[in-house]
Amino acid sequence: AEYLKTDYSEPGYFIDRNQKEVTLTGDYALSKNFNLLAEARYDKADYDDGGANVDGFVDDDGSLKDNNTTLMVKAIYKF
């Protein structure tokens, strides 16, 4: 898990950014020659530019949102 807080500013512009991430991983040996790996990741990002909150991820319909979930499964065959 990670947490990142940054401030960015230039004349007339300021961004206060908070980002959080959590990742869970798993590995399972189905047999001597076959492994299955899984990963789930959750990201959350909050951007504040001095009045308007700006979200950091794009949803499937093109709208902005403040979180993102990623799931991954990988199979490995060893020979």
Side-chain angles (χ1 to χ4, degrees):
E2 295 179 78
Y3 174 76
L4 175 67
K5 179 174 175 48
T6 60
D7 295 328
Y8 171 78
S9 64
E10 61 184 55
Y13 193 69
F14 175 79
I15 293 178
D16 182 20
R17 179 170 54 190
N18 296 304
Q19 295 174 289
K20 300 171 187 159
E21 172 264 323
V22 175
T23 303
L24 300 172
T25 59
D27 183 1
Y28 182 71
L30 293 171
S31 70
K32 181 177 139 184
N33 296 338
F34 192 74
N35 283 18
L36 194 61
L37 288 83
E39 179 175 300
R41 177 176 167 146
Y42 177 77
D43 293 278
K44 183 162 177 61
D46 294 316
Y47 301 91
D48 184 0
D49 67 354
N53 285 328
V54 180
D55 294 326
F57 299 99
V58 179
D59 205 353
D60 293 336
D61 63 2
S63 63
L64 294 175
K65 62 181 186 171
D66 69 350
N67 63 68
N68 190 52
T69 302
T70 306
L71 303 173
M72 186 270 311
V73 176
K74 179 173 34 174
I76 299 174
Y77 180 74
K78 301 179 278 186
F79 53 94

